[in-house]
Amino acid sequence: MHKAVYPGTFDPVTYGHLDIIARAAKQFDEVVVGVLCNSQKTPLFSAEERVNILKEVTKDIGNVTVLMFDGLSVDFVKKCHASVIIRGLRANTDFEYELQMAQTNRVLAPDIDTMFFVTSLKYSFLSSTTAKEVASYGENLSKFVPPYVAELLRDRFLAKREDT
Ligand code: ADP
């Protein structure tokens, strides 16, 4: 069984992440999307919400499962009985960080390799941060995230505005 793990924050999942998930699902028997819950960042959506959102938007891809984890990615990968970490690369700015992470992970777990998927050109500008920024101004999100996620983002920012 050729299994890979795609770890990340996914706050929230964008079309860029989904593109990587769909492409990875064609290359591996199973792809586990790992949602990090102890991130240093303060997420807009809780880990449970991020898992549920990912489950909803990947429900038509048969060989994708979504799980929550905390701690080191390599420990999660071992727990999943996988040997590959998938990450996405958009630009030079991703590269330095991703290279350092991949090398650190290889020192921690030499049997686990990181494989990079290069972003599709049309999603190269896209990040969860930009999607949230656009959502905070109430703008159209149709080029950033699936309709289900756009609605949740709209609701979340409306609720925030009502709080202030
Ligand atoms: P993390 O906090 O672990 O970086 P993210 O959810 O921001 O989590 O990203 C998870 C992975 O997806 C990273 O490898 C990131 O480079 C990649 N990624 C994010 N957006 C895109 C995109 N538009 N195209 C390709 N890869 C992407």
Side-chain angles (χ1 to χ4, degrees):
M1 173 91 136
H2 203 196
K3 195 171 178 181
V5 172
Y6 180 28
T9 310
F10 306 107
D11 183 44
V13 60
T14 67
Y15 279 133
H17 295 126
L18 274 177
D19 177 59
I20 303 290
I21 293 169
R23 286 160 60 198
K26 288 187 188 152
Q27 302 295 334
F28 292 90
D29 297 316
E30 191 181 342
V31 174
V32 178
V33 181
V35 176
L36 185 62
C37 66
N38 73 343
S39 170
Q40 304 287 327
K41 309 169 187 173
T42 310
L44 181 65
F45 294 99
S46 71
E48 287 82 7
E49 287 171 322
R50 285 176 277 139
V51 166
N52 289 335
I53 296 169
L54 269 156
K55 281 186 177 165
E56 173 63 28
V57 298
T58 59
K59 64 176 191 252
D60 294 332
I61 316 175
N63 57 339
V64 171
T65 51
V66 185
L67 296 173
M68 192 191 300
F69 78 101
D70 61 12
L72 291 171
S73 294
V74 286
D75 290 337
F76 178 61
V77 174
K78 284 181 200 162
K79 230 191 227 169
C80 293
H81 303 290
S83 56
V84 174
I85 295 176
I86 289 168
R87 297 285 289 176
L89 282 179
R90 281 162 296 189
N92 272 349
T93 42
D94 279 342
F95 181 74
E96 280 205 20
Y97 171 71
E98 293 292 344
L99 180 69
Q100 194 177 27
M101 284 256 297
Q103 286 173 334
T104 305
N105 284 336
R106 262 184 74 74
V107 170
L108 293 171
D111 293 339
I112 295 173
D113 249 312
T114 302
M115 290 176 75
F116 293 103
F117 282 74
V118 173
T119 182
S120 296
L121 213 49
K122 61 181 172 177
Y123 302 130
S124 58
F125 69 96
L126 189 47
S127 69
S128 300
T129 305
T130 51
K132 284 183 282 193
E133 180 84 8
V134 171
S136 73
Y137 292 105
E139 291 294 328
N140 186 334
L141 289 166
S142 59
K143 297 224 160 51
F144 299 77
V145 296
Y148 176 76
V149 184
E151 204 164 307
L152 292 173
L153 272 171
R154 252 191 309 268
D155 290 350
R156 189 56 53 104
F157 280 103
L158 271 180
K160 274 189 170 232
R161 246 173 268 155
E162 276 160 18
D163 281 351
T164 52

